[in-house]
Amino acid sequence: MANVAVIGAQWGDEGKGKIVDWLSARADVVVRFQGGHNAGHTLVIDGVTYKLSLLPSGVVRKGKQAVIGNGVVVDPWALTAEIEKLKGQGVEITPDNLIVAENAALILPLHRELDAAREAGADAIGTTKRGIGPAYEDKVGRRAIRAVDLKDFSTLPAKVARLLSHHNALRRGVGAEEISADTVLAQLTEIAPKVLGFIGPVWKVLDDARKASKRILFEGAQAVLLDVDHGTYPFVTSSNTVAGQAAAGSGIGPRQIGYVLGIVKAYTTRVGEGPFPSEQKNDVGERLGTRGAEFGTVTGRKRRCGWFDAVLVRQTCVTGGVDGIALTKLDVLDGFDEIKVCVGYTLHGKPLDYLPADAVEQAAIEPVYETIPGWSESTKGARSWAELPANAIKYVRRIEELIDAPVALLSTSPEREDTILVHDPFLG
């Protein structure tokens, strides 16, 4: 049985939460390996909706080990709030079923404040203003406060002083008041007891799971087109979102990832700024957004909508290391007389079969569409190929051809069981 990494293969919001939850029935351990509480994973289970931002989606299943890896930047206040919220929905989260990497960098209130100040300026890129980017900056700048630092307060004053020597200079630059070391230390003193019980050596927990032949599911946040290296830079997140990060972000070797499942929506959406070749600023875009309930789980922002872009997904399948895809929200396309798929680009009149890295060129490309017949029958809730209209099946098969990757799973509603299994990723 293969361990599985799940990543978004567009701009996020593809439905990773449901798919990870569905797959977690076959897994023993579920791991978040990058991002922060800017993720937004919605699960609908027996009519109950759970909205997760930091916790792994598998945490709502009893008997599963949930892991937050070192590649995640952790806001301890957001973590405790999410734990309490789920507790109110009957989901018990304790150190027995959740472990947070001791070497994970923390998001502090000063990170959120800096993020918001930057987004209020002329260079806003559409972040969630939750401090993710500034926290990653401190991590690579070797001045971050890490989870393990909460265990020994005698060492914290020097670490906080080093952090503030950088941040107070930034705060002066954006016109914000400087922050005192006493304020930060008081914040950490208040939150530490609430999270210390969850902190431990994730790499060792995962190695023990490997030795015990347990199945591990690695859950990515955001998506490949938001990857800091491979996405539409600078309109990206602050971490690597490709499957290769599952190893670095959790402390296991790359050979332990046996199958990479890319989550792909049957059309395309994007939140925030940046290029979007197949965007439909018309009735089609409005129809997709309304039927698909396209509002951000975390931000509540309306998502931009457009036709499926096979050029982008073919590219993310390569850079993301995708073996097969889970195609979601097929039911949103029900009732369209015809459906368009972006199959290529032109740049200054010349054909192009990939998304260039240059932001100016990205903004200048024009989509080339192929028109596919739609279907009037409903696909919502289908759980087998036999329940799908013929044209819906043709649409799925054409997508497989265009992106050069097979469909392993097909989702036809937010409900957990409304899923067609074509190939079990855990079988490799």
Side-chain angles (χ1 to χ4, degrees):
M1 303 292 280
N3 296 327
V4 176
V6 175
I7 60 174
Q10 292 163 308
W11 275 295
D13 310 308
E14 302 96 347
K16 291 184 293 296
K18 170 195 167 172
I19 299 299
V20 170
D21 173 62
W22 192 87
L23 287 169
S24 66
R26 296 161 172 76
D28 302 297
V29 183
V30 184
V31 186
R32 269 287 306 275
F33 60 84
Q34 52 76 218
H37 62 305
N38 53 345
H41 295 167
T42 300
L43 316 177
V44 180
I45 302 170
D46 297 329
V48 180
T49 299
Y50 302 92
K51 294 188 177 183
L52 307 179
S53 293
L54 184 58
L55 292 168
S57 295
V59 78
V60 298
R61 284 187 180 270
K62 291 183 179 179
K64 307 298 179 182
Q65 175 70 62
V67 174
I68 296 177
N70 58 275
V72 178
V73 284
V74 179
D75 183 324
W77 291 271
L79 176 62
T80 55
E82 194 167 322
I83 289 173
E84 284 302 309
K85 181 181 177 181
L86 286 180
K87 184 178 179 180
Q89 292 184 283
V91 179
E92 197 68 27
I93 299 172
T94 71
D96 291 329
N97 63 356
L98 173 67
I99 181 170
V100 178
E102 58 188 3
N103 52 338
L106 299 182
I107 300 172
L108 308 182
L110 57 83
H111 293 123
R112 296 194 297 269
E113 293 165 10
L114 178 61
D115 205 356
R118 286 172 171 172
E119 283 297 300
D123 296 325
I125 61 171
T127 77
T128 57
K129 304 178 185 178
R130 300 203 165 193
I132 313 297
Y136 272 117
E137 290 174 30
D138 284 342
K139 177 179 178 178
V140 299
R142 298 180 295 277
R143 56 182 170 263
I145 304 299
R146 303 192 302 170
V148 70
D149 295 331
L150 300 181
K151 291 184 176 182
D152 186 359
F153 269 75
S154 67
T155 66
L156 270 177
K159 294 173 182 177
V160 169
R162 184 174 65 231
L163 178 68
L164 290 183
S165 67
H166 175 79
H167 272 270
N168 277 333
L170 292 178
R171 292 170 77 90
R172 289 192 296 271
V174 297
E177 290 185 12
E178 293 190 20
I179 187 170
S180 72
D182 288 344
T183 296
V184 176
L185 288 169
Q187 292 167 343
L188 294 174
T189 300
E190 178 269 334
I191 196 63
K194 300 178 182 179
V195 296
L196 274 173
F198 296 101
I199 295 170
V202 158
W203 67 270
K204 189 176 187 305
V205 169
L206 295 180
D207 189 52
D208 290 343
R210 177 188 65 83
K211 290 175 180 176
S213 298
K214 292 184 178 181
R215 284 174 286 185
I216 305 172
L217 183 62
F218 298 91
E219 176 183 12
Q222 293 85 48
V224 176
L225 289 170
L226 294 174
D227 185 281
V228 69
D229 288 307
H230 301 288
T232 48
Y233 191 92
F235 304 101
V236 293
T237 194
S238 299
S239 61
N240 287 112
T241 60
V242 294
Q245 179 63 18
S250 57
I252 54 97
R255 291 182 180 177
Q256 300 307 315
I257 304 169
Y259 188 96
V260 179
L261 182 70
I263 314 300
V264 178
K265 199 175 289 186
Y267 49 101
T268 311
T269 64
R270 176 166 201 168
V271 172
E273 305 299 322
F276 187 168
S278 66
E279 182 176 11
Q280 299 296 299
K281 299 179 180 179
N282 52 28
D283 290 344
V284 169
E286 287 294 323
R287 183 176 177 183
L288 290 171
T290 300
R291 296 201 62 189
E294 296 296 351
F295 294 90
T297 301
V298 170
T299 64
R301 287 182 294 181
K302 186 177 181 180
R303 296 176 187 140
R304 300 154 63 190
C305 299
W307 295 119
F308 185 85
D309 191 330
V311 183
L312 287 181
V313 177
R314 183 170 63 243
Q315 185 167 328
T316 59
C317 284
V318 175
T319 58
V322 171
D323 295 303
I325 69 166
L327 190 66
T328 66
K329 289 198 167 185
L330 182 67
D331 55 298
V332 174
L333 298 179
D334 293 352
F336 278 93
D337 294 329
E338 59 182 30
I339 301 167
K340 291 184 178 181
V341 176
C342 178
V343 296
Y345 302 138
T346 59
L347 178 62
H348 306 310
K350 296 181 179 179
L352 191 66
D353 63 354
Y354 69 97
L355 184 73
D358 183 80
V360 175
E361 291 185 343
Q362 289 175 358
I365 59 176
E366 295 290 338
V368 176
Y369 290 111
E370 176 181 306
T371 300
I372 298 175
W375 55 90
S376 58
E377 307 95 321
S378 173
T379 64
K380 187 175 181 64
R383 299 184 181 182
S384 70
W385 284 109
E387 297 177 58
L388 294 177
N391 280 353
I393 294 174
K394 291 178 182 177
Y395 180 74
V396 173
R397 295 306 187 197
R398 182 56 178 150
I399 284 177
E400 289 180 313
E401 293 172 354
L402 290 169
I403 67 173
D404 196 25
V407 170
L409 293 164
L410 190 65
S411 172
T412 56
S413 96
E415 286 288 346
R416 176 190 281 171
E417 299 305 325
D418 290 343
T419 305
I420 300 172
L421 176 64
V422 182
H423 172 76
D424 190 339
F426 280 114
L427 297 179

